[in-house]
Amino acid sequence: MNHHEFLDVATVTASGLVLRDATFFARSLDGPRLDETVVETRLALDEVETSGHREVTVATPAGGFRGAYCVWQWYGDDAPTLIFHHGSGEDPFDFGRFSSNSARRLFATNDWSVPVNVILVRAPFHDRSSFGYARAMGALSNFVGMCAASTAMVEALTAAVRKRGSPAVTVSGISLGGWVTNLHRSFHGTADRYVPIFAGAALGEMFATSAYRRMTAERARADPDRLRDVLDFERAFRAATADCRPLLARYDRIIELDAQRSGYDGIPLTVIETGHVTGSLAASALREHVRTALDRPAARE
């Protein structure tokens, strides 16, 4: 085990010890399948607010969920648009002096000077403490609804900025945001390109076999087929045709390369020599990957 892998395992182990009983799916494994929930969830936005942040409530088969979006950078209606989704447990709107999140590392820097509109999406349950978020994830239905709500927000924003005249829309995200990116590609596919970072389409597999098992309740670990059945969406992802520029980390013990790479068969895959934690902090490499994807013409069949 190298230091990249060690940091992933140590981070997840420490988090599991701190949360104790507030682990994923500790209360309930009931709830609808993720693919069906995403398909049945819709959100309409009359317009995109280009300043401040706006909260929205999304009705899903798993219940109602409150999310939000914020326009971080706006060049105008005729500029290309990047819709970015954060990782698990992050508040992407926290740009305080001592904050640390993927949106701040990628975009709140002089190294980001791309003339595109940047819209940040905040998933449900990410306007609270880490413990509050973990408690909410005690129900599998909440996790499914959260992912579906975020996917619906991405779709609504894609439609809204196109209506305003944006000539190209790119959807990207890291970890949780990468899964949402791939869900949108699988079940909507209306963006011009997708840039998932540290994600695949075998979502249930992550909870069943990766180091993240330490964050998953014992009752859920004992029923891995249930997790795979509810959360995996590889068939739909492989059937999608929208341009995709994924990035995985070779030593990632959470979003494991060997578990997720097969979903990207036939798609150019970038692999960086980090783990999940060290990769999340490798802002320059991630920023360059997103920037390079934005510079390339989208390929559609």
Side-chain angles (χ1 to χ4, degrees), residues 5 8 179 198-202 205 210 234 246-265 269-276:
E5 296 170 301
D8 285 352
W179 297 107
F198 306 152
E205 195 67 30
S210 80
E234 289 178 295
L247 181 146
L248 292 173
R250 189 173 307 280
Y251 305 111
D252 195 329
R253 292 293 303 275
I254 297 171
I255 315 296
E256 296 180 317
L257 177 63
D258 289 343
Q260 304 299 334
R261 72 192 313 166
S262 64
Y264 292 124
D265 284 350
L269 173 63
T270 298
V271 178
I272 59 175
E273 304 298 314
T274 69
H276 196 86

Side-chain angles (χ1 to χ4, degrees), residues 7-249:
L7 277 174
D8 285 352
V9 173
T11 299
V12 172
T13 300
S15 297
L17 290 173
V18 169
L19 294 175
R20 296 184 181 179
D21 295 332
T23 49
F24 279 78
F25 322 138
R27 293 196 308 277
S28 172
L29 285 173
D30 296 333
R33 288 169 53 98
L34 178 58
D35 53 3
E36 295 171 352
T37 305
V38 170
V39 168
E40 295 175 16
T41 298
R42 291 290 186 272
L43 172 68
L45 294 177
D46 294 332
E47 60 181 353
V48 176
E49 300 289 345
T50 58
S51 62
H53 76 269
R54 179 181 175 185
E55 294 188 348
V56 297
T57 299
V58 186
T60 84
F65 294 84
R66 188 181 66 193
Y69 71 87
C70 171
V71 174
W72 164 251
Q73 175 176 282
W74 188 259
Y75 275 85
D77 292 350
D78 58 350
T81 300
L82 170 65
I83 300 173
F84 184 83
H85 194 294
H86 60 88
S88 180
E90 295 183 336
D91 180 353
F93 303 165
D94 184 0
F95 282 86
R97 182 178 179 183
F98 300 107
S99 68
S100 177
N101 60 65
S102 54
R104 177 172 183 169
R105 290 191 293 271
L106 266 63
F107 306 121
T109 169
N110 291 333
D111 293 329
W112 177 262
S113 57
V114 185
V116 298
N117 303 323
V118 178
I119 302 177
L120 307 178
V121 175
R122 186 175 69 193
F125 307 116
H126 284 76
D127 57 348
R128 59 190 68 184
S129 69
S130 296
F131 187 77
Y133 165 62
R135 288 286 299 171
M137 294 301 98
L140 178 58
S141 60
N142 276 351
F143 182 79
V144 168
M146 175 185 71
C147 292
S150 280
T151 305
M153 284 192 286
V154 170
E155 172 61 9
L157 288 165
T158 299
V161 296
R162 284 201 190 281
K163 185 177 179 180
R164 291 184 70 125
S166 184
V169 179
T170 297
V171 176
S172 183
I174 184 170
S175 196
L176 172 62
W179 297 107
V180 170
T181 298
N182 284 344
L183 282 166
H184 190 270
R185 179 180 182 271
S186 298
F187 300 106
H188 294 286
T190 53
D192 295 279
R193 70 173 61 79
Y194 293 86
V195 190
I197 299 170
F198 306 152
L203 180 51
E205 195 67 30
M206 181 190 74
F207 291 105
T209 60
S210 80
Y212 216 69
R213 291 180 77 255
R214 293 171 171 82
M215 292 282 288
T216 308
E218 183 177 352
R219 62 178 298 182
R221 295 198 305 268
D223 195 358
D225 288 341
R226 168 67 178 167
L227 297 176
R228 296 183 183 104
D229 182 62
V230 171
L231 298 176
D232 288 357
F233 56 99
E234 289 178 295
R235 180 177 299 179
F237 184 79
R238 289 193 181 102
T241 59
D243 186 84
C244 190
R245 311 282 177 168
L247 181 146
L248 292 173

